[in-house]
Amino acid sequence: MHKRRLIIRMGILFLIILLSLTGTGCGNQASNTPTDKGQASTDPIKVGLLVPYTGVFTSNGVDITRGVELYLDEVGWKAGGRDIKLIKEDSEMNGQVGLQKTRRLVESEKIDILTGVVSSTVAYAIRDYVVGNELPFIISNAGARNLTRGDASKYIFRVSFANGQYEYPFAKYMYNELKIHKIVVMAPDYAAGLEKAEGFMISFKEAGGEVIQEIYPKLGTTDYGPFLAQVKDADAVFVHFSAADSIKFVKQYDEYGLKRIPLFSAGDLVDESSLPGQGDSALGIISALHYSAALTNPQNQNFVKNYTAKYGDSPNMFAEQGYVSAQVIVKALGAIKGDTSDKEKLLQAIRTVQFDAPRGPFKFDQKTQNVIFDTHIRKVEKVDGKLVNTVIKSIPNTSDYWSGNK
């Protein structure tokens, strides 16, 4: 009897050892690993959203968040048969803070995909960490152009724009069609402002135009008076300012009596979120962007209706970029049935996603993984008592002007 009990105990011990070695039983299998080949985990897919919720671009971060959450609402917070969990972090518009928050999202939250980022400075700061950790990164706004040029990576995608991307065709439109030949350029003295100004000036000079003056105020300037006093007479002034800076600049440009010189801009200046604060000072400004809330395609009409119903505001470029970021994620995950275990298949699914967005046709450049879009030339007008960016011309299939992509 004693020998029989000994044999049974030895058999149980052997079985326990065998189960521990094979990783079955006792809940030892990693929760994000498929139970069978080609079968996705049932755990939520974790998406990190890194945007500023404090600082000069707070409104941009909030609008991107709204766009992301609106689309996830529309699909029931599911993709490829799995739940989506959105984990939000404040970049504070600071590169080192952004890097710290990205580390937390990766190492503590174990996110599957990262999206968001408004500031080019933050985007550059987290680039190496993201790539080193093989994390799919879908940029919702930051136009840091080298991220889809010399520092491009198969892990980095951008749904918004490369700095200079829509400014480049806009400059040629201004020179060739509006006969503007001499111009003053103004932009904030930081990565995005300098890159956008450069993209515009390269194109304007190529067309035969002359840049007679460049002025670069500090980001977050409260009084543009000393800079506006320097503006020389020209055919026009081209600027890039965004968020709170754009409201102050447009109103002060008018107050200083400079509307006698036509004002042209990157579309950020007269974003729908800024128009109410700018008031009639914005009337007549012509800008270029990949989006306008006044577009009449069915996708945008539906987006505007749902966004307004949920938030009580008209959407803007940042909300649309958040919305499109979420669309890319959901459609890519749907294509691979939610199975995120094969990183290469996930990257390929993101790379090849195409659909009709509120802005128009959406797709990635297969070489750079930067977005290709239609550039919309818009003019601020008052329609039914409301300021809107009326689309007066669209330039299709605008990719980055970078010669390395030709």
Side-chain angles (χ1 to χ4, degrees):
M1 193 69 176
H2 177 74
K3 182 181 293 186
R4 184 179 177 184
R5 287 199 298 268
L6 181 60
I7 292 172
I8 292 172
R9 289 173 180 170
M10 290 180 67
I12 292 172
L13 179 61
F14 176 76
L15 180 60
I16 291 172
I17 293 171
L18 180 63
L19 288 174
S20 67
L21 289 174
T22 59
T24 60
C26 302
N28 286 334
Q29 186 173 351
S31 62
N32 61 348
T33 303
T35 54
D36 296 299
K37 188 175 182 180
Q39 180 181 345
S41 167
T42 57
D43 290 341
I45 296 169
K46 294 184 178 181
V47 177
L49 177 61
L50 180 68
V51 292
Y53 294 120
T54 53
V56 67
F57 290 152
T58 296
S59 63
N60 299 162
V62 170
D63 291 333
I64 287 173
T65 303
R66 286 178 167 186
V68 169
E69 293 181 337
L70 177 63
Y71 188 75
L72 293 178
D73 283 347
E74 292 177 4
V75 297
W77 289 75
K78 289 184 178 292
R82 295 172 64 184
D83 291 336
I84 297 287
K85 181 178 180 181
L86 188 66
I87 306 170
K88 295 177 277 190
E89 286 286 358
D90 182 4
S91 70
E92 301 179 24
M93 284 294 292
N94 181 291
Q96 289 307 305
V97 172
L99 179 58
Q100 175 189 345
K101 298 295 181 68
T102 302
R103 288 182 184 276
R104 199 192 81 77
L105 287 169
V106 172
E107 296 169 18
S108 298
E109 297 292 349
K110 311 294 183 187
I111 60 170
D112 299 289
I113 297 169
L114 177 67
T115 191
V117 182
V118 168
S119 164
S120 292
T121 301
V122 173
Y124 281 130
I126 70 173
R127 186 266 176 199
D128 290 349
Y129 180 81
V130 165
V131 172
N133 283 273
E134 301 181 350
L135 178 68
F137 177 27
I138 299 170
I139 300 172
S140 300
N141 183 75
R145 62 191 183 193
N146 213 41
L147 293 179
T148 48
R149 294 187 182 186
D151 286 335
S153 164
K154 66 181 180 180
Y155 298 103
I156 298 175
F157 303 82
R158 177 161 35 215
V159 308
S160 51
F161 51 84
N163 289 329
Q165 186 172 351
Y166 49 77
E167 292 86 354
Y168 187 85
F170 188 39
K172 287 185 168 48
Y173 167 81
M174 289 171 59
Y175 183 88
N176 294 324
E177 299 193 31
L178 301 184
K179 309 304 179 186
I180 294 170
H181 295 164
K182 291 186 178 182
I183 200 160
V184 173
V185 171
M186 294 183 69
D189 188 9
Y190 80 119
L194 299 175
E195 289 183 353
K196 283 174 172 285
E198 183 183 43
F200 176 87
M201 290 188 294
I202 288 172
S203 178
F204 194 70
K205 291 174 182 178
E206 286 177 353
E210 181 184 357
V211 178
I212 65 171
Q213 189 179 23
E214 299 175 44
I215 304 173
Y216 299 106
K218 181 181 178 182
L219 182 67
T221 293
T222 56
D223 180 10
Y224 290 98
F227 303 98
L228 293 171
Q230 300 174 33
V231 173
K232 298 178 180 178
D233 283 334
D235 296 334
V237 174
F238 171 83
V239 305
H240 161 72
F241 293 99
S242 186
D245 286 1
S246 69
I247 296 173
K248 289 176 288 189
F249 179 84
V250 167
K251 291 183 75 67
Q252 291 175 23
Y253 191 87
D254 186 12
E255 290 166 0
Y256 270 74
L258 285 174
K259 289 194 78 172
R260 59 187 171 77
I261 306 176
L263 184 59
F264 293 78
S265 71
D268 318 50
L269 181 79
V270 286
D271 180 67
E272 282 79 2
S273 63
S274 297
L275 288 175
Q278 293 164 345
D280 288 351
S281 294
L283 282 170
I285 296 175
I286 296 177
S287 64
L289 196 65
H290 53 291
Y291 178 69
S292 167
L295 286 166
T296 58
N297 65 66
Q299 291 76 24
N300 188 52
Q301 290 177 329
N302 184 66
F303 172 58
V304 171
K305 180 184 70 174
N306 292 344
Y307 189 93
T308 304
K310 182 175 176 66
Y311 300 114
D313 292 329
S314 296
N316 54 35
M317 62 176 284
F318 302 99
E320 196 267 354
Q321 289 168 178
Y323 188 83
V324 169
S325 297
Q327 280 186 288
V328 169
I329 292 169
V330 169
K331 290 182 182 298
L333 291 171
I336 57 174
K337 297 180 172 57
D339 182 4
T340 55
S341 64
D342 189 327
K343 193 67 65 67
E344 291 301 324
K345 284 185 178 180
L346 173 58
L347 295 173
Q348 180 62 10
I350 297 171
R351 188 178 301 118
T352 55
V353 72
Q354 294 188 37
F355 53 90
D356 290 326
R359 69 185 66 173
F362 177 90
K363 61 182 177 181
F364 287 115
D365 184 303
Q366 296 300 291
K367 181 178 179 181
T368 66
Q369 300 184 169
N370 186 63
V371 63
I372 297 174
F373 51 63
D374 293 350
T375 295
H376 304 296
I377 311 298
R378 308 105 44 85
K379 184 176 182 178
V380 178
E381 297 180 333
K382 188 171 284 187
V383 178
D384 297 327
K386 181 180 179 181
L387 294 172
V388 299
N389 285 299
T390 301
V391 177
I392 57 179
K393 182 183 179 67
S394 294
I395 303 170
N397 296 317
T398 303
S399 60
D400 187 3
Y401 67 91
W402 179 39
S403 60
N405 191 35
K406 295 178 182 178

